[in-house]
Amino acid sequence: MVTAHESIINRTRARLAGVTEMLKKPVRPDELLRLVNRYAPLRQDVPPVSLPIPEAEPPSPEPVSEPEPVTDHLADPVSQANQLLQRYAAGERDFTGISLIGCNLQGANLEGINLSRADLMLADLSGCLLIGAKLTGANLIGAEMVKTNLREASLGGANLIGANLSQANLNGSQLVGVNLSSATLYQARLRGADLSEALAAGANLTSADLQSAILYATNLHGAVLNQANFEQANLTGANLWQARMEQTHLEGANLTGAVLPQITGD
């Protein structure tokens, strides 16, 4: 694959789709030749020989080198997901540190599961029931979590860069120190959630419900907060610089020491 958008998320998506190599634009000739030689090596040149002497055996051809085998070290996402569901159905709940990259667990009932420090990059958890689940320190970069029920779940220190949490239920969840940079939380429910010291720069919180949420020292730089509900929320020391706050509800919110966006006009 040749791409101008080389990132860890795109690389992982490409590997899961079966791509063996990625070349970043502009393509460097030495890199291209290296890959051509790896996957389609040239046959060795046969040196010129004189006319054969009668009854002499012809020279044996030189062996052709075989291309280096390419192995894919990524685990099969389908079998990984099936194994997890079978073990959960058998009563197991502790899956600390498990690797589930790109797994499809859409709509699964995983209430109370422990996925602390699990690798769930690009996993599909849409519609999952994760009430009270432990996802502390989990890697959820680029994960799909649309309409996922994470009520009272623990996600402290989790990495949710670019994750899609649209319409997810995060009421009462613990999100201290999470990384929500560029994440989508459109119409997400975060009532009473604790997002203290979270990084949500560039996140989309349009129409999200954060009533009574704790956002102490939360970084919302450049976030989209249009029509979001921050009534009675604690935004003490929060960074709202360059955040978009059209029709944002802030009745009763605590903005002590917060950095507010520059307001122009009347």
Side-chain angles (χ1 to χ4, degrees), residues 36-242:
V36 169
N37 186 58
R38 180 179 183 185
Y39 291 96
L42 297 175
R43 292 178 179 271
Q44 293 183 357
D45 294 331
V46 179
V49 294
S50 58
L51 292 174
I53 302 174
E55 297 182 1
E57 293 186 0
S60 58
E62 295 186 16
V64 179
S65 60
E66 295 294 328
E68 179 185 349
V70 181
T71 57
D72 192 350
H73 300 291
L74 289 177
D76 178 20
V78 177
S79 62
Q80 290 284 86
N82 289 337
Q83 288 177 24
L84 172 73
L85 295 174
Q86 290 171 7
R87 290 164 61 185
Y88 182 89
E92 189 173 349
R93 294 294 181 268
D94 190 358
F95 296 90
T96 302
I98 193 171
S99 177
L100 295 164
I101 297 175
C103 284
N104 185 353
L105 294 164
Q106 188 173 5
N109 183 351
L110 299 170
E111 185 173 353
I113 194 171
N114 184 0
L115 290 166
S116 298
R117 300 188 303 281
D119 195 346
L120 291 152
M121 178 186 286
L122 304 172
D124 190 347
L125 301 166
S126 300
C128 275
L129 186 63
L130 289 164
I131 296 174
K134 295 180 180 178
L135 290 152
T136 305
N139 179 8
L140 289 154
I141 293 176
E144 287 291 333
M145 304 175 78
V146 178
K147 296 183 179 179
T148 301
N149 193 340
L150 289 150
R151 179 166 55 85
E152 298 179 357
S154 176
L155 293 105
N159 192 343
L160 288 148
I161 295 176
N164 187 355
L165 289 149
S166 297
Q167 301 177 8
N169 182 1
L170 291 150
N171 288 340
S173 58
Q174 195 271 99
L175 295 139
V176 175
V178 299
N179 191 341
L180 286 161
S181 299
S182 303
T184 301
L185 293 106
Y186 174 74
Q187 292 184 344
R189 287 170 281 171
L190 292 145
R191 287 198 173 198
D194 190 349
L195 290 116
S196 299
E197 299 180 358
L199 177 58
N204 184 354
L205 286 148
T206 301
S207 300
D209 188 356
L210 292 115
Q211 184 172 332
S212 302
I214 302 171
L215 295 109
Y216 174 79
T218 300
N219 188 349
L220 291 156
H221 176 84
V224 181
L225 309 174
N226 298 335
Q227 290 96 43
N229 182 12
F230 286 93
E231 294 181 13
Q232 307 300 322
N234 184 356
L235 288 151
T236 302
N239 181 8
L240 296 160
W241 182 246
Q242 292 187 344

Side-chain angles (χ1 to χ4, degrees), residues 240-246 250 255 259-266:
L240 296 160
W241 182 246
Q242 292 187 344
R244 295 170 59 182
M245 303 180 68
E246 298 175 9
L250 292 163
L255 293 160
V259 180
L260 300 176
Q262 185 177 2
I263 300 174
T264 59
D266 296 331

